[in-house]
Amino acid sequence: MGPMRERSPDGSYGRIFAVVRRIPRGRVATYGQVAQLAGLAGHARQVGYALHALGAESPVPWHRVINARGGVSPRSLPGWERVQRDLLEREGVRFDERGCVALDHYRWRPRRSPISVAGGAR
DNA sequence: GCAATGACGCTCT
DNA sequence: CAGAGCGCCATTG
């Protein structure tokens, strides 16, 4: 009960991980979308922070999460962008010359939100 | 306990 | 159409 904020790797972040884990192969979702589906609308930044805490070898398909521009966010380590891009391309996601994917085509559209749709919002 | 940073998003100019 | 600024919250030093 209590004041346990659940800061463990499977705690409040688990909500975000649960959403990311639901992203089907060959599909992508934006940080803001994941945040909204996790019930943290507007906290897109926290999604990125949570994924960063996960690690590249995490069981969560972090590579399926991209920014609203449809591209992979620049990371501290050079070349990492290529890794995420390669993982997505391996799933069938194609990038254009700008290094962006067509969100209108690859964006994951869950029929049922992980959290209550609150009266069929959307 | 305060200050700065960060795998973002949206609006304004 | 492109660039810059502000907002949001959690983690780290």
Side-chain angles (χ1 to χ4, degrees):
Chain A
M1 24 194 258
M4 224 179 228
R5 283 300 152 90
E6 300 168 305
R7 20 197 179 132
S8 34
D10 295 277
S12 53
Y13 280 172
R15 215 175 323 225
I16 295 172
F17 301 149
V19 174
V20 177
R21 209 176 277 204
R22 284 174 112 154
I23 303 174
R25 181 175 168 282
R27 238 27 157 192
V28 296
T30 64
Y31 293 96
Q33 182 181 357
V34 173
Q36 187 172 17
L37 291 172
L40 301 172
H43 303 181
R45 249 179 173 184
Q46 262 41 48
V47 175
Y49 207 90
L51 293 176
H52 176 73
L54 263 174
E57 299 179 9
S58 163
V60 179
W62 56 269
H63 60 273
R64 290 176 192 153
V65 182
I66 58 178
N67 58 40
R69 299 183 299 184
V72 299
S73 230
R75 245 204 95 295
S76 302
L77 294 174
W80 205 248
E81 179 186 338
R82 179 70 209 191
V83 175
Q84 184 170 359
R85 177 171 174 172
D86 182 53
L87 286 169
L88 288 175
E89 286 183 324
R90 192 175 288 181
E91 295 186 350
V93 179
R94 302 233 185 152
F95 286 74
D96 56 14
E97 304 88 23
R98 300 184 312 173
C100 297
V101 307
L103 288 175
D104 294 319
H105 185 72
Y106 293 105
R107 188 181 288 231
W108 174 45
R109 294 184 178 180
R111 285 150 103 252
R112 286 209 241 132
S113 303
I115 56 173
S116 11
V117 275
R122 185 329 196 66

